[in-house]
Amino acid sequence: MWHYFPNQYMPSYQVNRALTQAHYGGGEFAEILEAASEITPGDNESFHNAWSKIGNTIFEEGENASKNNNTATARRAYLRAFNYLRTCEFFLKPSDDRKLPAYLKAIEAFHKAIALFDHKPKQVKIPFEDSFMQGYLFSPEGVIDAPVMIMFGGLDSLAEELYFGPSQILNERGIALLVIDGPGQGATLRVNHVHTRHDYNVPATVAFDWVLENLKNDVDTSRIGIMAVSMGGYMAARSAAFESRFKICCIWGAVWSYHDIWKNRPTNHPLAEIVMHIVGADNMPDTLELLKEFTLEGVAEKISMPTYILHGEDDRQNFVENAYKLSEALTCEKTVEIIPKESSGSAHCQIDNFTKTYNMFDWVAREMKK
């Protein structure tokens, strides 16, 4: 992965993330590099300020374009503003008073953008226990009875972010995508205060049944798949293992044990307080104890449908050994693709080159259309 900040992985990863998403409307290269130039590596305050500054500037550009009825300009500006404001919130600790306002303004930008789409996504609220999971259905234009993939993000990620790449790549292949903020993610965590859970098959099955009941006029409910990215690699596998009605399972970044991933990380890791927040713990020892349940040991072999694993050999967040271990445990039909470390796209979840995900998405299209 290219390092904008030499030998500084985490902030460089976020710059790569924005640059890759820019291809799908989530940024402009010059704006991203302008923000990056104002960041001091290791100083999360400068990280927040740089992205907040560019996000608020572009948000105002969207507002002005909207007032002047320049719809296309406004739409593109709001999309970029969302992604910059999402980024500025990323490293803020849950206790930071700026975190929720930054999130809410990012969501406001996204909603203003999709209101200007010619082919608008459907906003959904899926009842879940005493709360709900919010999300969006992105459907391929002009396709009748499209198969649909249900998708979760990773860690505390936002469903809206999955527009920048996954939804567009799948839609152009004739596949609908239902992106959802599951427990511990997006609005479900930040607004509804629903923490993550090891038995992610529970919300996945709720989503599956909700699709059957509510989207029968929008998609082909006989062809529903499950996929997820990053920490979602665990979520997708767990969901598939206990919900055999999914047609396929797509694991975009394998996770064998989330406890193993975190047990050797320092207590001052940039995401330490965030992972504490998503599990609902007050300290890292309690967090690590809860994470022991987030394992595919004794679970992976229950997956019965065709499964695709995509992982980067140079993944520094979820090491490639996770993919090998999961592959060995699977007894179902499987395809495993490891992007070699000499290649771009070998970083965590191919954030440094989304074109390296195309084999996976082509596989999804073939399998879902059978």
Side-chain angles (χ1 to χ4, degrees), residues 257-279:
S257 164
Y258 210 55
H259 175 268
D260 287 353
I261 288 170
W262 270 95
K263 68 181 182 182
N264 294 321
R265 288 179 174 176
T267 55
N268 64 345
H269 189 280
L271 301 179
E273 288 196 31
I274 293 172
V275 77
M276 286 164 50
H277 182 55
I278 71 165
V279 301

Side-chain angles (χ1 to χ4, degrees), residues 128-139:
F128 181 69
E129 296 183 346
D130 296 325
S131 186
F132 64 86
M133 302 181 291
Q134 68 105 44
Y136 308 84
L137 175 68
F138 295 99
S139 301

